Amino acid sequence: MENKLTIEQIQNFEGKYPKQLWYLFTVEMWERFCFYGMRGVLTFFMVDQLLLKDDAANLQYGAIQAFVYAFTFIGGIFADKILGFRKSLFFGGIVMILGNLLIAFAPQQMFYFGIAFSIIGTGFFKPNISSMVGELYHEGDGRRDAGYGMFYAGINIGGLLGGALCIYLGKYYSWSLCFLAAAIVMILGLLTFLFTKKHLGPIGDSPLLKLTDSKRKIREISVYVGSLLSIPLIFIMVKNTDYTDYFMYSIGIIAVAYFIYEVVKIGEISSQKKLMAAFLFIFFYLLFNAIYEQSGGSLSLFAKDNLSHNLLFFNIDPNVVNNSSNTLFVVILSPIIGLLWLWLAKKKLEPNTLIKFGIGFLFLSASFYIFYYTKFFANAEGITSLNVFTFAYFVTTIGELCLGPIGMSIITKLAPKRLFGMMMGLWFLASAFGQLAAGKLGAEISRSNEGATLLTKLQSYTEGYYQLAIYSLVAGIILILASPQIKKLMQGVK
């Protein structure tokens, strides 16, 4: 047996970041390349190649994304209880690679099958890396936020490359090549994990090490087999979005019931209050996603038809801009906003987490107002300015950075350690419902576009963005006004 690092050795690291963070960062970067690459082509591919109408493509997009995040909830529970993070991650990665290879083999015929594989794979892969990052730190280590901040940047470098490259390959070369690229980077991610996992010590080991080998094997194999058997079921549900709704509402009710059960079971008032505060964060995160996630749905279709190819002095494809400008701005703005918080903290002016969440909504609102405002820059054909569109993403990103990285961190601070997996799962489940709602909102936005001209499309999409701007403004104001009450629930957690 090799000498394993102990958890104490890992957590007693010198400097700002543990070295394990860089390994996890690289693995997650490749996985996010694959994920954002796929996300950025979904609606475009469905309208362009599967010949769906805009509203149907939006609903389908919402359904696929909702399943991806709902399965991160389920995958998180299996990892917590049976597989452990490592095996879960490896299994998920293999299934994702298979999904991408299937679509690459025959894009039009195998699209939904490949997507069903990708949904299961992401479910087992995604929640585990975030949880492993949390375990690199002591409970009270102040460097945890910085670690998640850095990890978040890794996610976005992957997202930036994948978002730009996959749509570009699909649009200008071949769709097979687009999905093949996603499979290849996922293979790179898994290889990175295999070569570096020895540095993780006991982090991510199976929670069933106390059981005999044979008992443990039986449980693990039943999880693998069960998930593969569910693929045809997911295939049917993704193709028919009505089934998706039934599935999601059922899982939502079950998840909330399970959460309430765990809260009651704890029995200690201060922990219960903290969990309630965490739940409110998760709820607002759902609302945020419903609006923010138009980028893969309606904004992708808006970019496809209604935007010019001129960005500043460059000629560039609007879908490449739509898929990668947000992640590019995250990489640029993350350190700046991080420094801004530190500077405000020194002056004793740093807003608390709740106010940051509220500010996030206000920026989101402003950005959708700018998306709406693109209509005043349109020419007679209904083609409008890519510059204004990109500026809106710049503003969106500021909003996202007030909320995304601290959200995950605050959930791990408010939840007791044994409920980490469940709370992370609920966080992803909030994303799932956000995605589902985003698809429905996107479908409503495009449904009013009955006319065939680009001008009517411009009109209906921008009006829809105006509505979304108002929704997020209201949510932001409510959050800021309610912050003193929620703060009491947090019991002094910062």
Side-chain angles (χ1 to χ4, degrees):
M1 270 299 279
E2 52 180 312
N3 281 340
K4 259 192 170 179
L5 283 167
T6 63
I7 194 88
E8 288 75 30
Q9 286 170 314
I10 292 173
Q11 290 180 345
N12 283 336
F13 60 93
E14 300 289 319
K16 200 167 179 191
Y17 302 106
K19 67 173 182 183
Q20 289 80 0
L21 184 71
W22 303 114
Y23 306 140
L24 294 175
F25 169 102
T26 313
V27 177
E28 179 74 338
M29 182 177 83
W30 290 125
E31 188 270 337
R32 292 286 93 182
F33 180 108
C34 175
F35 178 84
Y36 280 101
M38 293 287 281
R39 186 190 94 148
V41 300
L42 287 176
T43 44
F44 190 100
F45 180 85
M46 291 187 282
V47 170
D48 193 57
Q49 295 291 306
L50 306 179
L51 307 177
L52 296 185
K53 290 244 185 325
D54 280 15
D55 57 343
N58 267 302
L59 286 174
Q60 206 87 68
Y61 169 78
I64 292 169
Q65 289 288 93
F67 272 117
V68 165
Y69 282 94
F71 273 86
T72 42
F73 173 66
I74 297 167
I77 291 175
F78 279 132
D80 262 0
K81 303 271 187 273
I82 299 173
L83 294 179
F85 295 147
R86 295 175 183 215
K87 284 182 175 156
S88 179
L89 188 145
F90 187 71
F91 173 66
I94 297 283
V95 178
M96 281 173 83
I97 292 165
L98 287 174
N100 285 320
L101 290 174
L102 271 176
I103 307 179
F105 177 68
Q108 283 84 350
Q109 296 75 18
M110 299 303 277
F111 178 72
Y112 289 111
F113 270 116
I115 289 293
F117 271 83
S118 292
I119 285 169
I120 291 280
T122 311
F124 278 95
F125 191 102
K126 172 80 186 115
N128 301 315
I129 290 226
S130 329
S131 307
M132 282 156 119
V133 171
E135 286 197 44
L136 299 174
Y137 296 90
H138 284 300
E139 288 284 309
D141 194 329
R143 296 172 292 186
R144 181 186 294 207
D145 280 8
Y148 268 110
M150 199 65 213
F151 182 63
Y152 208 66
I155 292 178
N156 283 287
I157 294 167
L160 170 68
L161 300 170
L165 187 69
C166 291
I167 189 85
Y168 183 77
L169 289 173
K171 259 178 122 164
Y172 298 106
Y173 290 96
S174 87
W175 287 105
S176 289
L177 201 57
C178 154
F179 293 107
L180 185 63
I184 291 169
V185 293
M186 200 57 222
I187 292 170
L188 286 174
L190 267 196
L191 289 173
T192 309
F193 180 68
L194 283 180
F195 287 122
T196 59
K197 65 177 186 186
K198 61 174 183 287
H199 297 291
L200 288 169
I203 291 176
D205 277 345
S206 167
L208 304 179
L209 288 177
K210 297 184 289 296
L211 292 182
T212 60
D213 275 1
S214 59
K215 274 188 181 164
R216 197 170 75 233
K217 281 274 183 320
I218 290 168
R219 292 190 191 182
E220 285 170 4
I221 290 166
S222 50
V223 171
Y224 299 145
V225 173
S227 21
L228 294 175
L229 288 177
S230 64
I231 286 176
L233 195 67
I234 293 169
F235 170 77
I236 294 164
M237 287 196 284
V238 168
K239 275 203 81 157
N240 183 342
T241 51
D242 287 347
Y243 294 151
T244 308
D245 293 355
Y246 302 140
F247 173 80
M248 289 300 296
Y249 299 145
S250 312
I251 201 173
I253 292 165
I254 293 166
V256 172
Y258 181 57
F259 170 77
I260 292 168
Y261 162 76
E262 287 286 10
V263 170
V264 173
K265 201 171 99 178
I266 278 185
E268 184 207 347
I269 294 287
S270 106
S271 297
Q272 287 175 333
K273 284 184 173 172
K274 280 191 213 163
L275 282 169
M276 291 313 294
F279 192 80
L280 286 169
F281 275 112
I282 289 170
F283 175 71
F284 275 99
Y285 182 60
L286 185 163
L287 293 182
F288 188 88
N289 271 315
I291 297 165
Y292 167 77
E293 277 299 336
Q294 294 304 314
S295 56
S298 69
L299 284 166
S300 173
L301 298 177
F302 184 65
K304 173 176 169 287
D305 296 326
N306 286 93
L307 292 176
S308 77
H309 282 242
N310 303 329
L311 181 61
L312 300 173
F313 316 107
F314 305 102
N315 188 336
I316 187 166
D317 183 278
N319 280 99
V320 170
V321 173
N322 177 60
N323 287 0
S324 56
S325 54
N326 169 242
T327 43
L328 175 66
F329 291 142
V330 168
V331 175
I332 296 168
L333 291 171
S334 286
I336 299 171
I337 289 182
L339 290 169
L340 173 72
W341 296 141
L342 288 173
W343 181 76
L344 285 171
K346 280 204 180 98
K347 299 246 182 283
K348 303 253 187 293
L349 292 171
E350 187 188 7
N352 65 37
T353 309
L354 288 157
I355 303 289
K356 284 181 188 171
F357 251 62
I359 294 170
F361 275 100
L362 300 183
F363 274 104
L364 185 67
S365 171
S367 71
F368 272 88
Y369 187 74
I370 300 167
F371 284 128
Y372 156 72
Y373 212 73
T374 54
K375 77 187 244 183
F376 299 110
F377 290 84
N379 63 15
E381 283 82 58
I383 304 289
T384 186
S385 161
L386 184 56
N387 290 325
V388 178
F389 181 85
T390 312
F391 178 63
Y393 264 119
F394 181 79
V395 178
T396 302
T397 307
I398 299 174
E400 180 198 347
L401 287 172
C402 291
L403 187 140
I406 53 173
M408 266 191 186
S409 180
I410 195 80
I411 297 301
T412 56
K413 287 178 191 168
L414 287 167
K417 192 165 181 326
R418 66 176 192 80
L419 296 179
F420 261 23
M422 179 190 81
M423 294 309 284
M424 273 292 179
L426 277 177
W427 178 257
F428 288 120
L429 204 53
S431 291
F433 278 97
Q435 307 280 354
L436 191 68
K440 292 191 183 308
L441 288 168
E444 283 309 312
I445 288 171
S446 55
R447 204 166 279 151
S448 54
N449 165 33
E450 291 307 325
T453 70
L454 290 182
L455 211 53
T456 55
K457 178 170 179 179
L458 176 84
Q459 194 62 33
S460 89
Y461 274 63
T462 51
E463 286 303 320
Y465 299 144
Y466 183 71
Q467 291 296 317
L468 295 182
I470 292 172
Y471 295 156
S472 41
L473 180 65
V474 171
I477 292 169
I478 289 174
L479 231 180
I480 289 170
L481 292 178
S483 64
Q485 272 66 39
I486 304 174
K487 202 173 168 186
K488 283 182 192 150
L489 287 176
M490 289 170 70
Q491 305 283 304
V493 171
K494 289 281 183 288

